[in-house]
Amino acid sequence: MSEPHTRTTHAAQAAYALGCHNFARGEDKTAHEAFRTLLRTRDGSADDDYRPGLLDSYVQLGLTYYTLGRPQEAVEQWAYVLQRGPSVGDAQMYLQGVQGQSTRDDASG
């Protein structure tokens, strides 16, 4: 029988893959649920946010929020990632993109 951490890791990997697959197919609500499920599988240990793929899951969750028309929640996810892993370039790129869009919208409106 596998260790609880190993089972959690496998479940997390499966949820991440499912979320990415659904997002790529344009199934944003289903992808959102997969990423939320993944983030609920965290066991509360100190290294939770540093497990492979977990910060990427927050990045992807931000993307699903954005495509669902919830940009503020997307920004919150990306900011969370950057607090824990400043080298996660995708989060920085998306955050700058949304902030740049907001600036352009303010200037034109």
Side-chain angles (χ1 to χ4, degrees):
M1 187 153 155
S2 60
E3 295 293 319
H5 175 74
T6 304
R7 284 195 305 267
T8 300
T9 301
H10 291 309
Q13 290 170 341
Y16 182 78
L18 179 63
C20 289
H21 173 76
N22 289 331
F23 187 77
R25 292 174 49 111
E27 298 171 5
D28 300 327
K29 288 183 181 181
T30 308
H32 176 262
E33 263 317 298
F35 292 120
R36 293 293 301 156
T37 298
L38 164 70
L39 297 172
R40 284 192 297 265
T41 65
R42 298 170 56 192
D43 66 10
S45 65
D47 68 336
D48 249 356
D49 289 334
Y50 301 99
R51 288 193 186 147
L54 201 58
L55 287 179
D56 290 337
S57 298
Y58 284 102
V59 173
Q60 294 298 324
L61 181 60
L63 283 174
T64 63
Y65 277 131
Y66 188 78
T67 59
L68 291 169
R70 297 160 62 179
Q72 183 56 42
E73 289 166 284
V75 166
E76 290 169 9
Q77 298 305 311
W78 297 325
Y80 178 85
V81 169
L82 292 172
Q83 289 174 346
R84 280 147 187 81
S87 64
V88 181
D90 288 350
Q92 184 67 44
M93 177 185 66
Y94 294 132
L95 190 57
Q96 288 174 339
V98 169
Q99 290 170 336
Q101 179 64 43
S102 177
T103 302
R104 286 189 297 275
D105 289 348
D106 290 346
S108 67

